[in-house]
């Protein structure tokens, strides 16, 4: 296992803007506070969403599109550098009017309302290509 | 985006009381430690539950009732002031005996067992009516 | 309600090893950093998984096996002492290629990729048998 002790440089709460992109808003917050590495949890609701599922055989992400309002019952992720940009690796659990849950890697979603708690770490994290999984991983 | 740097006044772990209300217990913890703003994550199990789904067209919450035992696979939320009371905005992912997941805004649920981690912030958060979403939002 | 103020002794981010056991890796991290109590959130993907559902009538866990790749859309848990070993009480929300979500108590799962944030507390937590739920609970 690869691990690293981290120290927190700052903590933030944010309200995501209605109509903006969920992940884009988290990355905008990271840019604003100059986070080189961060961890976040969030909750709220979205107007639509695109989840991604990683196919471990083809090593490619497959999109799953939702064109309806959904609750964001859980959102966990982290910020690190990927190809010279801050990237918010974001997983989410969404739910519909009957409580049915959908989940996966959140690529994009239009915010209805969103509440985020983010911890920014002193030392940065940077993603690099991992040959085994063909994913960009840190540490 | 609206955001605010926060400082942590205290951190707590709690075990929710079997038979009590899940959200009520979190609000009781917030009252006990005089939290004017807090963030929490939790896990456990409940004996029943009422989730709410927010209808973005009518701008009203619609209840979804579960009258059976469920795991609480994820619970993320925050505490803020709403109409002079501490309100725990609580989203949860629940699951049944075959692993099927249900999720949404958790209004109430009878605790079977619950474990919570809460961070209390120095500065308070207060909800106010938002015209766009007709929700009570902070910041 | 039972609760305790905690102080953080250290914070860590970790990348779980591809092919290893998800919960075992979290417990290995806890061992490595000598955590007597900790809280974590995580995300990633697994190659298979075994969830457990607690039957509140028989007071026994029932396994639910998944023999296919799944995203880990959410993972929340904590570390405490149980029968002289560090135990990572781990709940997770998993998801398949069409976004369908499965959730529960995570007993085991083979890591594809996993990212964890763990806070280690100064004072330890130890689980003891609770007569009401027949679970091992702390506090």
């Amino acid at each position: 296992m690869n691990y690293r002790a981290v120290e927190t440089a700052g903590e933030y709460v944010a309200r995501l803007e209605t109509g903006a992109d969920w992940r884009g808003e988290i990355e905008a917050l990271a840019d604003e506070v100059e986070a080189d590495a961060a961890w976040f949890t969030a909750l709220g609701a979205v107007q639509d969403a695109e989840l991604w599922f990683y196919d471990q055989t083809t090593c490619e992400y497959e999109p799953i599109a939702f064109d309806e309002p959904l609750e964001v019952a859980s959102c966990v992720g982290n910020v690190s550098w990927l190809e010279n940009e801050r990237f918010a690796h974001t997983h989410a659990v969404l739910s519909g009017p009957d409580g049915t849950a959908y989940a996966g890697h959140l690529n994009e979603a239009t915010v209805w309302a969103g509440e985020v708690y983010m911890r920014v770490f002193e030392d940065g994290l940077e993603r690099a290509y991992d040959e085994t999984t063909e994913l960009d991983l840190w540490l």
Side-chain angles (χ1 to χ4, degrees), chain A:
Chain A
M1 186 200 324
N2 299 293
Y3 76 97
R4 181 193 295 176
V6 291
E7 290 191 28
T8 294
E11 299 176 70
Y12 303 89
V13 291
R15 175 158 75 83
L16 307 184
E17 192 73 24
T18 305
D21 178 57
W22 185 279
R23 184 164 65 83
E25 282 283 276
I26 293 173
E27 289 167 349
L29 171 63
D31 281 336
E32 179 85 13
V33 301
E34 297 183 352
D36 293 326
W39 197 272
F40 60 86
T41 54
L43 66 159
V46 293
Q47 300 172 249
D48 53 38
E50 186 182 278
L51 295 176
W52 283 3
F53 179 82
Y54 194 72
D55 185 320
Q56 295 174 20
T57 306
T58 62
C59 287
E60 293 191 358
Y61 277 110
E62 300 296 335
I64 312 154
F66 298 87
D67 196 25
E68 70 261 21
L70 297 160
E71 296 288 312
V72 180
S74 165
C75 180
V76 179
N78 55 69
V79 174
S80 59
W81 286 97
L82 173 64
E83 293 166 8
N84 300 315
E85 295 196 342
R86 289 183 176 92
F87 169 64
H89 185 206
T90 307
H91 279 203
V93 185
L94 310 173
S95 63
D98 63 353
T100 301
Y102 311 97
H105 175 108
L106 185 78
N107 182 47
E108 59 184 23
T110 307
V111 175
W112 175 256
E115 298 172 353
V116 178
Y117 167 66
M118 181 184 284
R119 295 179 71 77
V120 174
F121 304 132
E122 290 281 1
D123 293 324
L125 288 168
E126 182 159 2
R127 291 183 181 273
Y129 181 76
D130 171 66
E131 288 199 358
T132 308
T133 59
E134 298 188 23
L135 287 166
D136 295 305
L137 303 177
W138 38 248
L139 290 187

